[in-house]
């Protein structure tokens, strides 16, 4: 199977893993709509992707804006949701140290943003299409100081299973990447960055950092795999086995 002639929507598709998903889908014959909250980023991504791509900005925190986005783009076959705001997860905090009001924002983009997108995308998505969400391996390997982000990540996987039953025959799955070399690392000096990669991956069976294109292959499989639903596909170098 291929994505020839299909239309793929990638929310979060202007950078990192989302951009790699858009590139891979185009390479497999699809046309792609990329979306993010910043119009300038959308324009830049469409310029890099070429004629098979179009784009539109959307604020997934705003349900009315999400509804307007799907009204504007029309019919499509597959939705990939890679948007996320992990900026407040970088400093581990124990529960007594945590500002609970601020912590509520952990779910606003990656969880509730996805829920809003699925809710309003249903009117336009093909009956034999798919939805693929994005998670992180912290759901499987909690670390000290990450209880709430671990719970948030786990909730995405349970959402996938519930929606796979509720929305059948539409397929709903999730990709769960570990450390991936995306632009979020660019602000760290090269030497420090490389040391972090080596520390993160030293005990993995595949002892290196992952690449966005490798994660994109998992998204493409879940779009094409017509007999796969309710699943979480780990792209992690084998780390959670240890």
């Amino acid at each position: 199977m291929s994505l020839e002639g299909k239309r793929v929507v990638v929310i979060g598709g202007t950078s990192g893993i989302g951009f790699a998903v858009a590139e891979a889908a185009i390479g497999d014959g699809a046309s792609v709509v990329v979306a993010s909250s910043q119009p300038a980023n959308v324009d830049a991504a469409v310029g890099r992707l070429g004629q098979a791509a179009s784009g539109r900005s959307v604020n997934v925190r705003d349900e009315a804006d999400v509804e307007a986005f799907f009204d504007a783009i029309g019919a499509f076959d597959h939705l990939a949701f890679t948007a996320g705001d992990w900026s407040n997860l970088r400093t581990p905090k124990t529960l007594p140290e945590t500002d609970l009001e601020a912590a509520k924002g952990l779910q606003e983009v990656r969880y509730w943003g996805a829920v809003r997108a699925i809710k309003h995308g249903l009117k336009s998505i093909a009956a034999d299409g798919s939805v693929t969400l994005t998670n992180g391996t912290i759901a499987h390997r909690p670390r000290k100081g990450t209880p709430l982000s671990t719970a948030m990540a786990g909730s995405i996987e349970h959402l996938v299973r519930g929606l796979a039953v509720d929305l059948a025959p539409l397929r709903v799955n999730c990709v769960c990447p570990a450390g991936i070399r995306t632009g979020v690392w660019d602000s760290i000096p090269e030497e420090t960055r490389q040391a972090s990669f080596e520390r993160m991956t030293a005990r993995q069976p595949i002892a290196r950092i992952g690449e966005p294109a490798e994660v994109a292959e998992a998204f493409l499989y879940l779009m094409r795999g017509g007999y796969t639903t309710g699943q979480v596909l780990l792209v992690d170098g084998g780390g959670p086995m240890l």
Side-chain angles (χ1 to χ4, degrees), residues 66-68 70-71 74-76 118-126:
V66 173
E67 183 176 17
F70 283 104
D71 286 343
F76 64 98
I118 296 166
K119 174 183 175 180
H120 293 288
L122 286 175
K123 60 195 168 191
S124 304
I125 196 167

Side-chain angles (χ1 to χ4, degrees), residues 27-238:
D28 204 45
S31 61
V32 171
V33 180
V34 293
S36 80
S37 60
Q38 300 298 318
N41 293 346
V42 173
D43 292 343
V46 170
R48 292 168 61 197
L49 290 167
Q51 293 184 345
S54 60
R56 188 178 177 90
S57 62
V58 61
N59 177 7
V60 298
R61 299 173 185 268
D62 182 337
E63 185 171 355
D65 197 46
V66 173
E67 183 176 17
F69 169 80
F70 283 104
D71 286 343
I73 67 170
F76 64 98
D77 298 282
H78 301 284
L79 171 64
F81 191 94
T82 66
D85 179 8
W86 296 94
S87 59
N88 53 357
L89 303 181
R90 294 177 182 174
T91 304
K93 292 182 180 179
T94 63
L95 189 58
E97 298 171 323
T98 300
D99 180 337
L100 296 183
E101 285 303 311
K104 291 178 182 178
L106 284 173
Q107 291 192 313
E108 188 59 30
V109 173
R110 196 171 291 273
Y111 182 89
W112 286 112
V115 170
R116 295 179 189 108
I118 296 166
K119 174 183 175 180
H120 293 288
L122 286 175
K123 60 195 168 191
S124 304
I125 196 167
D128 60 350
S130 73
V131 173
T132 308
L133 304 187
T134 311
N135 202 11
T137 52
I138 196 168
H140 302 271
R141 299 186 71 184
R143 301 189 305 272
K144 186 76 172 177
T146 63
L148 298 185
S149 51
T150 299
M152 184 273 288
S155 70
I156 294 170
E157 298 191 1
H158 288 286
L159 174 66
V160 164
R161 294 185 180 99
L163 289 175
V165 173
D166 203 48
L167 301 181
L170 181 71
R171 296 180 298 105
V172 184
N173 295 288
C174 179
V175 174
C176 187
I180 304 297
R181 192 195 309 267
T182 64
V184 299
W185 293 95
D186 290 349
S187 62
I188 302 173
E190 172 62 28
E191 184 176 334
T192 304
R193 183 165 67 236
Q194 190 58 39
S196 296
F197 291 162
E198 292 173 2
R199 184 177 64 253
M200 290 165 51
T201 63
R203 296 179 64 245
Q204 292 180 181
I206 302 174
R208 63 170 175 82
I209 200 76
E211 301 295 339
E214 294 174 306
V215 184
E217 287 299 315
F219 280 86
L220 259 63
Y221 164 72
L222 292 172
M223 292 178 199
R224 296 181 301 216
Y227 202 50
T228 301
T229 194
Q231 301 303 305
V232 177
L233 189 54
L234 275 67
V235 185
D236 58 13

